[in-house]
Amino acid sequence: MKISGYLGFSLIDYPGIPSFVIFTQGCNFKCPFCHNPELISQRKKGQYSEEFILEEIDRRRKLIKGVVITGGEPTLQEDLPSFLFKIKKKRLLIKLDTNGSNPKMLIEIIKSNLVDYVAMDFKTSPSKYHKAIGLTENETKKYLKNIFESLKILRENKIKFEIRTTVVPEIVEEEDLIEIRKIIGENTLYFLQPFKNDKTLSYEFKNKNPYPEEMLEKYSATIKSKLR
Ligand code: SF4
């Protein structure tokens, strides 16, 4: 596994579960608003070995009940299942954060009981998705197909999951949120996250102001989502 960061203890990354957070290196998207741009490069090596991270988890074993795997995009790493298995042996719950682009890996780890909770991004309405992930419309087509496939997997398997959208001005407007709600279904747990402009991949997005809180509250009420 290529691991470039970790957080020893968090109360906010796994709903209701004190957890250890692992940041994997490498992502297949280039979201211009990405808040972890240093984790995007797939060429970079990880900074921490699996052994080191597993020892750090052991040191906190009495404080934590779960581990969050986030990125970057964790499902791009072929050895994800074997790494999750090592964590599972410690009798910890696992939450995966994913952009939904790798349904093959998603179904593999769900079927092998290697994950307990999935948070998947649905970044904007399909017609604008290429703007959100910073790729061409052609490249985005393939990924969108995968994202719909991942959504189907989450719905059809008995796994707790949430869908989340970072509400980035211009990329996500009220009509996009309404469309996403229609796609994911009325009963799906849906979170909106505010956009933060203190660190972004694209310089252009550093100058964009996040939506005011009242606006987010209004959007959230319209589509019956929760705010983070
Ligand atoms: S925000 Fe986009 S580019 Fe950044 S890690 Fe997530 S999916 Fe990858």
Short mmCIF file of all heavy atoms in Angstrom, two decimals, residues 7 9-19 21 68 95 196 228:
data_model
loop_
_atom_site.label_atom_id
_atom_site.label_comp_id
_atom_site.label_asym_id
_atom_site.label_seq_id
_atom_site.Cartn_x
_atom_site.Cartn_y
_atom_site.Cartn_z
N LEU A 7 -3.84 9.96 10.70
CA LEU A 7 -4.32 10.74 11.84
C LEU A 7 -4.56 9.71 12.94
O LEU A 7 -5.33 8.76 12.72
CB LEU A 7 -5.63 11.41 11.41
CG LEU A 7 -6.18 12.57 12.17
CD1 LEU A 7 -5.18 13.71 12.19
CD2 LEU A 7 -7.47 13.04 11.47
N PHE A 9 -6.04 9.73 15.80
CA PHE A 9 -7.33 9.64 16.50
C PHE A 9 -8.30 10.67 15.93
O PHE A 9 -7.95 11.83 15.82
CB PHE A 9 -7.14 9.89 18.00
CG PHE A 9 -8.39 9.73 18.79
CD1 PHE A 9 -8.89 8.46 19.09
CD2 PHE A 9 -9.10 10.84 19.24
CE1 PHE A 9 -10.05 8.31 19.83
CE2 PHE A 9 -10.27 10.70 19.98
CZ PHE A 9 -10.75 9.43 20.27
N SER A 10 -9.47 10.23 15.57
CA SER A 10 -10.47 11.17 15.05
C SER A 10 -11.86 10.78 15.53
O SER A 10 -12.20 9.60 15.60
CB SER A 10 -10.45 11.15 13.52
OG SER A 10 -11.60 11.81 13.02
N LEU A 11 -12.63 11.82 15.87
CA LEU A 11 -14.03 11.58 16.26
C LEU A 11 -14.99 12.01 15.17
O LEU A 11 -16.20 11.93 15.34
CB LEU A 11 -14.34 12.34 17.56
CG LEU A 11 -13.71 11.80 18.83
CD1 LEU A 11 -13.94 12.74 19.99
CD2 LEU A 11 -14.25 10.41 19.16
N ILE A 12 -14.46 12.50 14.04
CA ILE A 12 -15.36 13.05 13.03
C ILE A 12 -15.34 12.31 11.69
O ILE A 12 -16.15 12.59 10.82
CB ILE A 12 -15.08 14.56 12.77
CG1 ILE A 12 -13.63 14.77 12.33
CG2 ILE A 12 -15.41 15.41 13.97
CD1 ILE A 12 -13.37 16.16 11.79
N ASP A 13 -14.43 11.38 11.51
CA ASP A 13 -14.30 10.78 10.17
C ASP A 13 -15.14 9.53 9.96
O ASP A 13 -15.35 9.11 8.82
CB ASP A 13 -12.82 10.48 9.88
CG ASP A 13 -12.05 11.77 9.62
OD1 ASP A 13 -12.07 12.24 8.48
OD2 ASP A 13 -11.50 12.34 10.57
N TYR A 14 -15.58 8.90 11.05
CA TYR A 14 -16.40 7.67 10.96
C TYR A 14 -17.59 7.91 11.88
O TYR A 14 -17.40 7.99 13.10
CB TYR A 14 -15.56 6.48 11.42
CG TYR A 14 -16.09 5.10 11.11
CD1 TYR A 14 -15.22 4.03 10.95
CD2 TYR A 14 -17.46 4.83 11.00
CE1 TYR A 14 -15.67 2.75 10.66
CE2 TYR A 14 -17.91 3.56 10.72
CZ TYR A 14 -17.02 2.52 10.57
OH TYR A 14 -17.48 1.26 10.30
N PRO A 15 -18.81 8.04 11.34
CA PRO A 15 -19.94 8.42 12.19
C PRO A 15 -20.07 7.53 13.44
O PRO A 15 -20.24 6.32 13.34
CB PRO A 15 -21.16 8.23 11.27
CG PRO A 15 -20.61 8.34 9.89
CD PRO A 15 -19.20 7.81 9.94
N GLY A 16 -19.92 8.17 14.60
CA GLY A 16 -20.12 7.48 15.88
C GLY A 16 -18.98 6.57 16.32
O GLY A 16 -19.09 5.90 17.36
N ILE A 17 -17.89 6.50 15.56
CA ILE A 17 -16.82 5.54 15.86
C ILE A 17 -15.48 6.27 16.02
O ILE A 17 -14.98 6.87 15.05
CB ILE A 17 -16.68 4.49 14.71
CG1 ILE A 17 -18.00 3.82 14.37
CG2 ILE A 17 -15.57 3.48 15.01
CD1 ILE A 17 -18.49 2.81 15.37
N PRO A 18 -14.87 6.23 17.21
CA PRO A 18 -13.53 6.80 17.34
C PRO A 18 -12.57 6.02 16.45
O PRO A 18 -12.54 4.78 16.50
CB PRO A 18 -13.16 6.60 18.82
CG PRO A 18 -14.35 5.98 19.47
CD PRO A 18 -15.35 5.59 18.44
N SER A 19 -11.81 6.72 15.64
CA SER A 19 -11.07 5.98 14.62
C SER A 19 -9.68 6.53 14.32
O SER A 19 -9.34 7.67 14.64
CB SER A 19 -11.89 5.92 13.33
OG SER A 19 -12.30 7.21 12.96
N VAL A 21 -7.19 7.26 11.07
CA VAL A 21 -7.45 7.61 9.67
C VAL A 21 -6.17 7.43 8.84
O VAL A 21 -5.11 7.93 9.22
CB VAL A 21 -7.95 9.07 9.53
CG1 VAL A 21 -8.32 9.38 8.07
CG2 VAL A 21 -9.15 9.32 10.43
N VAL A 68 -10.42 4.41 9.22
CA VAL A 68 -10.94 5.03 7.99
C VAL A 68 -9.84 5.01 6.95
O VAL A 68 -8.71 5.43 7.22
CB VAL A 68 -11.38 6.50 8.25
CG1 VAL A 68 -11.84 7.16 6.96
CG2 VAL A 68 -12.47 6.55 9.31
N LYS A 95 -14.06 1.86 7.62
CA LYS A 95 -14.84 2.73 6.73
C LYS A 95 -13.95 3.08 5.53
O LYS A 95 -12.77 3.40 5.71
CB LYS A 95 -15.24 4.02 7.45
CG LYS A 95 -15.84 5.09 6.52
CD LYS A 95 -16.24 6.32 7.33
CE LYS A 95 -16.78 7.43 6.45
NZ LYS A 95 -15.76 8.45 6.13
N LYS A 196 -13.91 24.16 0.90
CA LYS A 196 -12.92 24.97 1.62
C LYS A 196 -11.89 25.46 0.61
O LYS A 196 -11.37 24.67 -0.17
CB LYS A 196 -12.22 24.13 2.68
CG LYS A 196 -13.13 23.68 3.80
CD LYS A 196 -12.32 22.90 4.81
CE LYS A 196 -13.26 22.18 5.76
NZ LYS A 196 -12.67 20.94 6.27
N ARG A 228 -22.55 18.72 6.79
CA ARG A 228 -21.37 18.40 7.61
C ARG A 228 -20.68 19.67 8.00
O ARG A 228 -20.59 20.57 7.19
CB ARG A 228 -20.38 17.60 6.79
CG ARG A 228 -20.63 16.16 6.85
CD ARG A 228 -19.47 15.26 7.11
NE ARG A 228 -20.03 14.01 7.59
CZ ARG A 228 -20.26 12.95 6.79
NH1 ARG A 228 -19.95 12.99 5.55
NH2 ARG A 228 -20.79 11.87 7.31
#
